[in-house]
Amino acid sequence: QKEVEQDPGPLSVPEGAIVSLNCTYSNSAFQYFMWYRQYSRKGPELLMYTYSSGNKEDGRFTAQVDKSSKYISLFIRDSQPSDSATYLCAVMWLMDSNYQLIWGAGTKLIIKP
Amino acid sequence: GAGVSQSPSNKVTEKGKDVELRCDPISGHTALYWYRQSLGQGLEFLIYFQGNSAPDKSGLPSDRFSAERTGGSVSTLTIQRTQQEDSAVYLCASSPHGGSGNTIYFGEGSWLTVV
């Protein structure tokens, strides 16, 4: 079992829909949770970052962490064709004075006009 | 610079040749990562540098791959005797160290094609 599981998709939804992207993780030591967006032929860019259970909102994006279930989600409201990209979750934790980082496989999202 | 800078952005090389890929991290960032990403795939960890500590090379796929980081800043990833399966985008990322809330920032990648 991978330490971070993410469905690779693709996930195809109509414009304006609410999108839910999810990752599960196995290690309760994970401390920081991030979502990155990667457009085709570009490097990943940070979208959202959080370290506590609960919701964090930024415009149309909401990151949700449930540490008891080891589940992280990214919600996109009023989805736009420009949101079409691959979304990667990542978890980070401090071990022996160094940050360790694990990535999900990425979910390809397609927003249909 | 404002972001992580990688060069070359695109490289086509013949099988068996050596290639060097360069990464200029964000100024002041002590942590530097190299990842490989094949078409439609997730990120494959290659190597991690943190300050003056010995690098974590656990992700390097073979002894044809090596990386160095000079002066705690610029890093070079070298692939010797390239093979077609080395074709991928090589992504560099950097991160500040210390305290909570560290996140990493990626460059645009070096797109390597081995023919």
Side-chain angles (χ1 to χ4, degrees):
Chain A
Q1 181 190 8
K2 293 181 181 178
E3 291 195 89
V4 178
E5 298 273 4
Q6 184 177 12
D7 188 334
L11 175 63
S12 182
V13 299
E15 182 176 356
I18 296 175
V19 175
S20 173
L21 302 165
N22 308 294
C23 289
T24 59
Y25 63 94
S26 58
N27 191 334
S28 57
F30 296 161
Q31 296 170 282
Y32 307 104
F33 308 91
M34 294 160 284
W35 284 97
Y36 282 76
R37 176 175 62 195
Q38 186 178 24
Y39 290 115
S40 181
R41 295 191 67 83
K42 294 288 188 181
E45 57 177 332
L46 179 66
L47 264 184
M48 302 281 288
Y49 156 81
T50 185
Y51 57 87
S52 57
S53 279
N55 294 348
K56 182 176 181 179
E57 192 172 316
D58 184 0
R60 296 184 295 111
F61 298 89
T62 300
Q64 185 178 82
V65 175
D66 183 344
K67 289 190 175 182
S68 62
S69 302
K70 300 189 184 66
Y71 198 82
I72 56 177
S73 300
L74 178 70
F75 299 98
I76 307 174
R77 291 185 300 280
D78 187 25
S79 56
Q80 304 293 311
S82 58
D83 296 328
S84 298
T86 296
Y87 290 79
L88 300 110
C89 64
V91 297
M92 182 182 281
W93 74 105
L94 188 61
M95 185 172 77
D96 299 331
S97 300
N98 283 320
Y99 282 99
Q100 309 296 316
L101 181 65
I102 296 180
W103 294 85
T107 298
K108 184 173 182 178
L109 175 65
I110 301 168
I111 307 296
K112 297 176 293 184
Chain B
V4 178
S5 178
Q6 291 189 247
S7 61
S9 54
N10 284 285
K11 176 74 176 179
V12 180
T13 190
E14 292 180 347
K15 178 181 172 181
K17 294 281 180 68
D18 298 350
V19 297
E20 282 190 353
L21 308 175
R22 176 189 167 106
C23 174
D24 235 308
I26 293 172
S27 178
H29 282 194
T30 58
L32 187 148
Y33 306 77
W34 282 100
Y35 288 91
R36 178 169 70 176
Q37 188 177 35
S38 299
L39 191 63
Q41 301 298 309
L43 298 174
E44 177 188 1
F45 168 75
L46 296 178
I47 189 168
Y48 164 60
F49 296 90
Q50 175 53 60
N52 296 320
S53 303
D56 177 356
K57 303 180 181 181
S58 60
L60 294 177
S62 76
D63 59 8
R64 296 187 295 106
F65 288 73
S66 63
E68 62 177 22
R69 189 179 185 190
T70 53
S73 181
V74 172
S75 177
T76 303
L77 177 69
T78 301
I79 309 172
Q80 295 178 309
R81 305 180 302 282
T82 51
Q83 304 295 312
Q84 287 185 331
E85 61 263 28
D86 299 334
S87 296
V89 58
Y90 290 81
L91 290 160
C92 177
S94 71
S95 174
H97 178 68
S100 64
N102 289 293
T103 55
I104 72 173
Y105 301 87
F106 283 86
E108 294 288 88
S110 290
W111 298 78
L112 175 66
T113 303
V114 181
V115 296

